[in-house]
Amino acid sequence: MSRRRTIAIAVTVAGALAFVWLINATALWEFALRALFPTLRDVLMPRDTLATFVLQHLALVGTSSVLTIAVGVPLGIWVTRRSGAEFRSLVVAGTDLGQTFPPVAVLALAMPVLGFGFWPTIMALFIYGLFPVVSATIAGIEAVPRSVVEAGVGMGMSSSQVLMRAELPLASRVIVSGIRTSVAINIGTATVGAAIGTGGLGVPIIGGLAVQNMAYVLEGAIPAALLAVLADSILAQVESAVTVAEG
Amino acid sequence: MSDHSLQTRFDRVALVGAIVTLAGATALPFVELRPNRLVPGTVHSLADAGVWMFATWGLVALALLSAVAPSAKARSAASSASAYGLVAVLAWALGEAASTLLVGQTSVARVSIGSGAWVILLGAAVIGFAGGEERKRYLLRRLGPPVLVLAAVVSAFVWGGLDDISLAQEFEVRAESFWQLLAGHLALAGAGVALGAVFGVPLGLWATRDRKVRGVVLGVTGIIQTVPSLALLGLLILPLSALGNAVPFLRDLGVRGIGAAPGLVALTMYALLPIVRNTYVGLAEVDPAVVDAGRGMGMSSRQLLMRVELPLALPLIMEGLRTASVLLIGITTLTVFAGARNLGILIFEGLGQFAPDLILLGALPVIVLAVVVDVALSALAKRLTPEGVRE
């Protein structure tokens, strides 16, 4: 592992630890927001602690992302196999079209169709998250040179061995970048989930905007921004880790 | 051998589409009758669509037949007819169900579209993809069938009672404000893309000229893109209201914490990444030999940029504008939390009141808008590609 990579990982881990500390440092938030907004009666949303909002947010994003990866990657692999080739054009067209749909509109549409609450929101995040993951999986596998696949077959590998030992390792960087996009969108869209009562970091933002309490807004917006950047850099580390593995 | 396999193997895409359609038509509520627009009501099946139920069954059967049809030509004809037919029949079935169920109800009663109807539509789309790749290309060049389907849907509005569906009624009630909100939506998203281009294209150009700038510009716009839009909006309100308070001239221009200003600033910031990145990549990918040739002809670096580099990079820059536009059409809905007025109002009012029709009235146009802009701008990008480099 190169020196640069070691430093990058160390910075990310330090960032994650600092984030955990920050969302639990209630006294610090109280002090800083009081200093910024001396006239406000409450500067922290009384409904829940900041750590709880973060955990609710992580539950939404984590559950939907795990489902997305568990379904999206196999689906993408399947349509590049002979058994699923018939469905390839349907899946590619569907994911291309799906990615032009605004995530907020999809989340909103899930409500009349699926109902309100935690699981309908998870479903909406899961479905929307599929688009980048499936299309990245297909793109990644199809970018593997034919010669590599043929060399594998020539060495006597079975088609599942070719998939596991050649195609997937070579496609993993692209697949992880699709997952990264999907998670980033999910973190952002989950913020809007607060408008339909799913909790999370959107609660102080939307609640604060509704009652004109800018301290609440910052209580939600700052951790949401940090969480998104942190998750993205963790996945960026994963992305470069799988890239190194291929070399 | 290949003939044999063609005969025995059936088209599984058509089969899946037929199963999805069947599930939507039988297992899920087709429409919901509610005493008024806010309270839940009773669910009704496709049976209330009268004769259109049988038409639906017939078209599902046609899709199943297409799966086992002997020739590729028969398969594609049958599955296309089934898919297009299902969309047209769905419009009439909804209209029929609405007008039947509303007989004897008060004027505030509503019939809204149930999940089954949406699933039938999804099934029709899947059936439309049956029959293989080659047929798709052929089909896309044909305007006839889609126009016929559109005519069927429009006539269902005029004669088939589709205008009794609650979504249409919700629209009628709010027609005037709807158009204003739509205009507000387009104006704000359009202004965001325009400002994004005004700042983004020069930044992308600068990035090609200076390695250090490139790292900073691409890094910062990348981070902005990662930050959730609602959070960015929240973070902008405070500095903007401080700025407006400190500089009265700016406040008169509309720079305030609440209103269109934070929305527009946030939208501009989101538009930057795709525009900057594509401008940079587009310019960086211009063949150095072409630039050398221009220089050899005695062009100044300004002439080189305007006559050679930018025209060659234009398709990719347009691609960036397209990505930014699609992105912004969605994010614009969130600016209503900072006081802007656009289609987002309908969505979030609808979510707040648990009024599904209001949500649909806001969300469907946003989706249609995003898809239309996507298609239109990619067509434009294709046309702007200089002839010599077209693929």
Side-chain angles (χ1 to χ4, degrees):
Chain A
M1 203 185 300
S2 73
R3 208 181 137 75
R4 260 186 93 112
R5 290 251 313 118
T6 318
I7 294 174
I9 292 175
V11 169
T12 309
V13 171
L17 292 174
F19 181 75
V20 173
W21 172 78
L22 183 70
I23 59 166
N24 286 295
T26 316
L28 176 71
W29 284 92
E30 178 88 33
F31 172 77
L33 290 174
R34 278 249 174 270
L36 258 176
F37 307 99
T39 54
L40 289 175
R41 202 168 62 87
D42 279 322
V43 290
L44 291 179
M45 219 183 191
R47 187 178 128 175
D48 268 314
T49 62
L50 177 54
T52 312
F53 288 133
V54 173
L55 283 179
Q56 289 167 345
H57 209 90
L58 284 176
L60 278 173
V61 176
T63 314
S64 58
S65 295
V66 166
L67 285 173
T68 293
I69 296 167
V71 174
V73 175
L75 180 63
I77 293 173
W78 179 61
V79 298
T80 62
R81 304 297 99 185
R82 194 182 292 165
S83 59
E86 276 176 274
F87 291 87
R88 186 187 170 281
S89 61
L90 171 69
V91 169
V92 168
T95 52
D96 282 355
L97 183 67
Q99 287 187 81
T100 60
F101 289 6
V104 178
V106 173
L107 182 68
L109 280 186
M111 300 307 118
V113 181
L114 303 169
F116 287 77
F118 183 79
W119 285 105
T121 308
I122 293 275
M123 274 302 287
L125 293 179
F126 155 67
I127 291 170
Y128 196 86
L130 277 179
F131 305 141
V133 171
V134 172
S135 70
T137 305
I138 297 173
I141 289 180
E142 287 182 349
V144 174
R146 274 208 71 80
S147 59
V148 173
V149 176
E150 277 158 15
V153 175
M155 284 165 67
M157 286 187 185
S158 69
S159 54
S160 65
Q161 282 174 323
V162 174
L163 175 68
M164 298 309 288
R165 298 203 195 152
E167 290 176 282
L168 276 186
L170 287 173
S172 54
R173 194 190 61 78
V174 182
I175 297 176
V176 174
S177 81
I179 293 172
R180 205 175 143 188
T181 309
S182 161
V183 170
I185 295 173
N186 269 355
I187 292 180
T189 314
T191 328
V192 186
I196 42 187
T198 53
L201 287 164
V203 174
I205 303 179
I206 294 179
L209 287 168
V211 299
Q212 299 277 317
N213 184 325
M214 281 304 122
Y216 290 178
V217 175
L218 290 187
E219 186 198 359
I222 294 172
L226 291 176
L227 179 67
V229 173
L230 181 65
D232 190 61
S233 53
I234 290 174
L235 285 170
Q237 297 310 321
V238 175
E239 200 180 315
S240 52
V242 296
T243 311
V244 171
E246 94 189 36
Chain B
M1 166 77 199
S2 67
D3 266 344
H4 178 70
S5 69
L6 196 78
Q7 273 176 5
T8 50
R9 259 189 57 215
F10 54 76
D11 192 327
R12 288 181 300 158
V13 180
L15 181 68
V16 168
I19 291 172
V20 170
T21 313
L22 267 182
T26 54
L28 294 165
F30 186 64
V31 289
E32 190 181 344
L33 173 66
R34 296 173 301 159
N36 69 53
R37 63 187 274 271
L38 296 178
V39 299
T42 50
V43 295
H44 295 266
S45 73
L46 191 57
D48 283 302
V51 61
W52 299 108
M53 178 179 74
F54 299 108
T56 309
W57 297 143
L59 289 168
V60 171
L62 184 62
L64 286 171
L65 277 178
S66 85
V68 292
S71 76
K73 205 172 168 187
R75 284 183 184 198
S76 71
S79 61
S80 309
S82 169
Y84 283 126
L86 276 170
V87 177
V89 164
L90 183 64
W92 280 83
L94 282 170
E96 179 68 28
S99 30
T100 318
L101 288 168
L102 283 174
V103 170
Q105 296 283 333
T106 58
S107 64
V108 290
R110 296 283 185 110
V111 173
S112 56
I113 305 171
S115 51
W118 296 112
V119 173
I120 293 175
L121 195 61
L122 177 71
V126 174
I127 294 171
F129 270 91
E133 199 85 25
E134 198 46 51
R135 183 182 70 88
K136 211 92 303 118
R137 266 173 233 140
Y138 168 79
L139 204 70
L140 281 177
R141 276 188 248 119
R142 296 273 150 157
L143 271 175
V147 169
L148 276 179
V149 171
L150 190 69
V153 174
V154 170
S155 59
F157 264 104
V158 182
W159 299 293
L162 193 58
D163 56 334
D164 285 334
I165 278 291
S166 56
L167 181 61
Q169 294 193 325
E170 192 80 43
F171 172 74
E172 241 164 71
V173 173
R174 296 171 180 263
E176 200 176 325
S177 71
F178 175 85
W179 296 115
Q180 282 171 4
L181 295 175
L182 181 66
H185 205 99
L186 285 172
L188 192 57
V193 175
L195 281 176
V198 166
F199 293 107
V201 173
L203 277 175
L205 177 62
W206 194 16
T208 57
R209 302 299 194 245
D210 189 330
R211 192 180 268 270
K212 268 186 199 147
V213 170
R214 184 179 70 196
V216 174
V217 166
L218 291 178
V220 170
T221 51
I223 290 175
I224 294 173
Q225 195 74 251
T226 316
V227 172
S229 356
L230 199 57
L232 185 66
L233 206 61
L235 292 174
L236 284 172
I237 291 176
L238 197 63
L240 281 175
S241 62
L243 189 67
N245 288 338
V247 189
F249 165 69
L250 284 177
R251 190 179 49 212
D252 295 339
L253 281 178
V255 177
R256 279 181 307 245
I258 292 289
L264 185 56
V265 175
L267 292 177
T268 306
M269 289 169 81
Y270 277 111
L272 282 180
L273 178 70
I275 296 174
V276 168
R277 192 179 47 199
N278 280 43
T279 306
Y280 167 74
V281 173
L283 288 172
E285 276 184 356
V286 172
D287 189 350
V290 179
V291 179
D292 278 344
R295 198 168 284 134
M297 286 166 69
M299 284 188 181
S300 67
S301 49
R302 192 195 172 79
Q303 283 173 320
L304 267 178
L305 179 68
M306 299 309 286
R307 297 203 196 153
V308 179
E309 291 174 284
L310 276 181
L312 284 173
L314 197 59
L316 265 178
I317 298 177
M318 281 300 304
E319 186 66 25
L321 288 176
R322 178 181 71 92
T323 312
S325 307
V326 171
L327 198 68
L328 258 51
I329 285 172
I331 299 177
T332 299
T333 55
L334 297 178
T335 60
V336 300
F337 286 111
R341 293 188 58 79
N342 53 57
L343 292 173
I345 287 189
L346 301 177
I347 296 179
F348 291 104
E349 244 177 53
L351 288 171
Q353 301 174 355
F354 296 88
D357 300 319
L358 198 51
I359 301 175
L360 286 177
L361 188 62
L364 287 180
V366 169
I367 289 183
V368 171
L369 217 55
V371 173
V372 167
V373 165
D374 185 65
V375 171
L377 287 184
S378 24
L380 187 63
K382 220 168 260 171
R383 294 205 66 175
L384 287 176
T385 309
E387 248 168 67
V389 290
R390 261 182 222 170
E391 277 161 21

